[in-house]
Amino acid sequence: MKTLYTVLFTLSIILINPWGSSRGLIWTSPKVLIIWLIVGVNLALLWEQRKALTIPRQWKISLILWTIFLSIGAISTLQSPFPLTSFFGQDQMGDGWLYWLLIAAFTLSNSLLLIVHPQLINSQFQGLLIGGMILSLSIFPQIIDWRIDYTATMGQIIRADVNASSIFQGQQPIGLYSHRGHAAIVLALIIITVLVGWFSRFTTTKLTAITLILTVPALLLTSTRSAILALMVASVYLLRGKSYKILVAIVPIAIIAIGIMTVSRPLDWSKPSIAQIMSSRSPMWTLSARGIKKRPLFGWGFDGLGIAYPYIRNAQVTPTVVNLDEFTYNYINIKGEISTRETPTYKAHNWILDTTLSVGILGLVAGIAVWGYYVCLALNYSMGGIEAVAIAYLIFTFTWFDCAQYAHIAWWTMSFATVKSASATRFSRFGAESGQLLISNYPFPITKSYISCISRK
C-alpha cells in the first residue's frame, strides 16, 4: 500500500497523455484521473477502518465549509449561461464544479486516512518529491530544444513558433505541463514542502539537498516571476529565526532573478506602464470588474471570465451567444448571421477576481472561509511550517489562478491540518542504513495548550 501511494502521488505530478488531441487531454485529464484514483483508494481504506474511526470536530467543520462552498458553486453552475462549461471546467484549466467536488473529497478523505494510517504520510511525501525531481529533469532538455514536449507529435511544428501540440515557443520550458507557469508553481511548492519536511526532521539532509539541486535551477529556468516571488516570501516565513544562512542565499537570488526576468521582457521602455510589467494583467482585471458588476452574487459559473467574456467584451452591447468553445465563441451579429470571435483567456489571473467571477461574492466569502480555516488549523499542526506551502500558493494566485494540473498539491498539505492532535505523528530522519522513514503513533500529552481555530466548549 505504501508503494501504491508513492506511485500515485508521483503520477499526480508527472503523468501526461502523449496522444491527447488537446491541451486538457494531454496535460490536465491524466493528472485529474490520478486524483480520482487516490480518492478511491482513500475511501476503500477508510471503509475497512470505519468501525474504529473517530471523526475529529475539525474535520466536521471542514466538511460543512466545503459543503457551503460547493452548494453556492452548484447554484452558480445552474444559473450559468453555459452550465456544462462551469460543471466540467474549460479543457485546459479543468477546474469546474466537478473538480472542486473532487478536491473536497481528496482533502477530506486524506485527512481521515492520515489519522488511521499516519505512516502513509511518508509514502505521499516521497511521491511528490520523486515527481518534482522527474519534472525538473524534463525541463532541462527543453532549454536546448523548445520543440521537446514529450507528446506523440514531439518535434513537429505548425508554425515557426508553435509546436503541433499547440505549445508556443514562449511558453517553454513546460516540463510535463501545458505552460511554464504551471510547472513553475509545482516546483516552488515542492521546494517549500521539502524544506518543511527537513526542518520537521521528516527527511534527510541528503534527500533534501538532491531535491533542491534539481528543482531550484529548473524553477529559475521557467522564468516565472510569480512562482519565484511566492517561493521567496514563503521561504522567509518558514526560515525566519531558523536558518538565516539559507535566507541569505535564497532572497538575493530570487530578487536578482525577478529583476532580470522583468527587464528582459519585450517592454516599450519609452512608455513603461504597470500593464507591461504585470504581463498585461491589469486589462483583464478591469474586464473582470465589469463582469462582477453584472452578476455579483453567484457569478457566471466556474472558469467565469471565459464564460463572461462574450457578454462583457463590449460594455455597450450584449450579444446573443449561441456557442462557447475552448478558445472561441459564436454569436449572432447585427446582420443576423453567426460570427466567431476568440476567447483570449478563461482566467482573470487573480484568485479573488477569478473566484468572484465564477461563484460571486457569496462564493468568494465561502472560499475564503475554507482557506482561512485550513490555514488557521495548519498554524497549530505538529509539523510546524506546513502553512508556508499555502502561503506560496496564494501569493502565486495573486497574478495566476487555480488549475486542475496543480491545485491538488496545496490541498494535500492542507489535508494535514485537520489531523487531530491526539493522533499526531512523530517524525525522525531516514535511517542511514535502512533508508526508511520511521513514523510511529504516540499519545500526545502536550505540555502547552493546543490552540484551536474555533474556540471549544
Side-chain angles (χ1 to χ4, degrees), residues 4-20:
L4 175 61
Y5 271 97
T6 299
V7 171
L8 287 175
F9 272 76
T10 300
L11 291 176
S12 76
I13 301 294
I14 68 171
L15 187 63
I16 68 171
N17 171 22
W19 300 276

Side-chain angles (χ1 to χ4, degrees), residues 366-389:
I368 291 174
V370 173
W371 265 111
Y373 185 68
Y374 273 102
V375 171
C376 189
L377 287 175
L379 289 169
N380 299 283
Y381 183 63
S382 59
M383 191 165 75
I386 197 66
E387 68 277 5
V389 180

Side-chain angles (χ1 to χ4, degrees), residues 124-146:
Q124 296 178 0
F125 187 88
Q126 288 188 46
L128 290 181
L129 294 193
I130 293 170
M133 287 187 278
I134 294 174
L135 171 60
S136 299
L137 292 172
S138 73
I139 285 174
F140 300 137
Q142 293 170 338
I143 299 298
I144 301 173
D145 188 349
W146 69 273

Side-chain angles (χ1 to χ4, degrees), residues 183-295:
I185 186 56
V186 171
L187 292 170
L189 295 179
I190 287 175
I191 290 169
I192 292 295
T193 300
V194 74
L195 289 175
V196 172
W198 185 66
F199 278 106
S200 300
R201 304 189 63 81
F202 188 39
T203 183
T204 61
T205 299
K206 181 179 179 180
L207 180 59
T208 301
I210 293 172
T211 303
L212 294 178
I213 287 170
L214 291 173
T215 54
V216 171
L219 172 60
L220 293 174
L221 289 172
T222 64
S223 299
T224 305
R225 294 171 297 168
S226 295
I228 295 171
L229 176 63
L231 173 62
M232 181 181 71
V233 175
S235 297
V236 170
Y237 171 84
L238 177 65
L239 301 176
R240 70 195 191 286
K242 295 179 180 178
S243 181
Y244 289 109
K245 291 181 179 180
I246 299 179
L247 280 180
V248 168
I250 291 178
V251 174
I253 291 174
I255 293 175
I256 293 171
I258 293 171
I260 293 174
M261 292 170 194
T262 300
V263 299
S264 62
R265 292 181 57 78
L267 303 180
D268 182 3
W269 290 104
S270 63
K271 297 179 180 179
S273 66
I274 295 298
Q276 290 188 73
I277 295 173
M278 293 295 293
S279 301
S280 300
R281 258 60 165 179
S282 53
M284 289 187 284
W285 295 350
T286 301
L287 199 62
S288 299
R290 188 185 302 169
I292 292 170
K293 289 179 181 179
K294 286 198 171 188
R295 288 185 172 226

